Amino acid sequence: TYSVTLPHRAFFNVSVSRAYRGSGSTSVFASVSVPLDSRTMVAVDGSANRSGAQRSSYAGASVQRSYPTDQGFGYRLRATTQEQVDAGLAYAWPYGIYTLEASSVQGTSAVRASASGGIGAIAGTAFASRQITESFGVVKVGEVEGVRVFHGGNPIGRTNEEGLIVLPRLSSYSANRITIDERDLPMDVTIRHRDLQVVPRYRAGTLADYEARRRIGAVLAVRLADGSLLPAGITVQSDGSAHTFVSGHGGEVFVPDLPPSARYTAQLANGRCSFAAGYVAPPREAIPTLGPFVCTEVK
């Protein structure tokens, strides 16, 4: 057997075999394949065989396009000089793979159709997917629909209306790198992780949660204990973090990423005061004004 890579990414392979027992046969096979793009390949091949006084040979050509890792069509077509024609069409989508194949050999024809898929459940969510062959996972991006998800750099698809997408083919007991396209996230949504690595057990599922949440920018109206407005130009710091803000006119403080609950400390000219601010349910307004909150003296 001998193989070599040719110019334009073409690949040449030739093999010769000889059987010394029986009638003693000799076979020669050669092929040249050329990729047109990352999914499409054309090839030509030929074979010659001699067994005693009998000789046979054929030549063939084929074109094949594999179906994508996310959603779309694939096909293959092959014909030989032995009156053989094979054709196949496949469609892959998040809920399964469907194929239609036809073959004709010296006047005898056959057609076959098939469908494959899988079902599973994880974290209280049942789903339908492509066939689960080893391990699987579910990616969760908050409740954001239409976010592109990649496994090992290959596109898998987009999250559904619940912010979920199933990964039916994860490698068990090894790190699987999961990434998302942050350009698909709304401007007011923040994520805790930029990419994740999950290591599932064999025939088991794992959850890859990006902990996406809506970033709420709000104006906090703040008053002092005596009822007066918080003076302008006061530094306000979020307790337990390095985030600082500066008060404006009317006792207002703009917080670009307001958590559901937090405490803030204001540095006054004659001391410090503290107040708690947050929300029970996310406000519907783009930039709501919340409060007034009372800033009490801190000793």
Side-chain angles (χ1 to χ4, degrees):
T1 299
Y2 175 74
S3 59
V4 64
T5 301
L6 304 176
H8 306 290
R9 299 183 299 167
F11 184 78
F12 171 73
N13 177 73
V14 61
S15 63
V16 180
S17 63
R18 168 70 176 171
Y20 290 96
R21 305 192 68 174
S23 59
S25 63
T26 302
S27 298
V28 179
F29 173 82
S31 66
V32 176
S33 56
V34 182
L36 302 183
D37 55 38
S38 60
R39 292 171 47 206
T40 310
M41 176 88 67
V42 295
V44 292
D45 61 89
S47 176
N49 181 74
R50 183 179 66 181
S51 179
Q54 296 182 347
R55 299 189 180 192
S56 63
S57 63
Y58 79 88
S62 63
V63 58
Q64 177 174 325
R65 181 172 177 82
S66 60
Y67 55 78
T69 55
D70 49 1
Q71 183 172 342
F73 285 96
Y75 60 84
R76 63 177 178 84
L77 179 63
R78 174 174 169 78
T80 72
T81 55
Q82 294 181 326
E83 299 182 40
Q84 179 179 356
V85 178
D86 297 300
L89 180 66
Y91 179 72
W93 72 318
Y95 307 110
I97 298 176
Y98 307 93
T99 61
L100 179 62
E101 300 172 292
S103 178
S104 177
V105 180
Q106 297 179 352
T108 302
S109 301
V111 178
R112 177 174 63 184
S114 64
S116 65
I119 56 174
I122 186 172
T125 300
F127 61 84
S129 71
R130 295 186 188 179
Q131 187 176 7
I132 300 172
T133 57
E134 190 171 344
S135 300
F136 67 94
V138 172
V139 176
K140 180 175 178 58
V141 190
E143 296 182 354
V144 184
E145 182 180 3
V147 179
R148 282 169 287 185
V149 178
F150 303 83
H151 174 210
N154 296 313
I156 300 300
R158 293 177 179 265
T159 54
N160 61 15
E161 63 276 3
E162 297 177 344
L164 303 174
I165 186 172
V166 178
L167 306 178
R169 294 188 177 183
L170 296 183
S171 300
S172 57
Y173 302 114
S174 61
N176 295 262
R177 184 168 179 260
I178 313 300
T179 56
I180 63 175
D181 195 329
E182 296 181 58
R183 294 173 297 180
D184 296 330
L185 295 173
M187 293 186 64
D188 62 346
V189 170
T190 181
I191 55 176
R192 185 173 181 179
H193 312 281
R194 292 185 179 273
D195 58 65
L196 293 172
Q197 288 194 352
V198 295
V199 184
R201 294 182 292 111
Y202 178 67
R203 301 291 287 177
T206 185
L207 178 64
D209 191 352
Y210 277 84
E211 301 182 37
R213 65 178 181 86
R214 178 187 169 197
R215 182 171 49 210
I216 298 177
V219 175
L220 307 181
V222 183
R223 294 180 177 270
L224 301 180
D226 60 5
S228 61
L229 299 175
L230 182 70
I234 297 297
T235 299
V236 178
Q237 182 170 3
S238 175
D239 292 0
S241 74
H243 297 152
T244 59
F245 317 98
V246 178
S247 62
H249 296 288
E252 295 182 339
V253 180
F254 175 67
V255 179
D257 188 5
L258 181 68
S261 178
R263 178 164 287 275
Y264 302 87
T265 299
Q267 188 66 47
L268 304 174
N270 56 351
R272 296 183 304 159
C273 67
S274 175
F275 65 95
Y279 54 87
V280 177
R284 294 183 179 181
E285 300 89 341
I287 303 179
T289 298
L290 306 179
F293 304 101
V294 178
C295 194
T296 57
E297 182 181 359
V298 177
K299 297 182 179 179

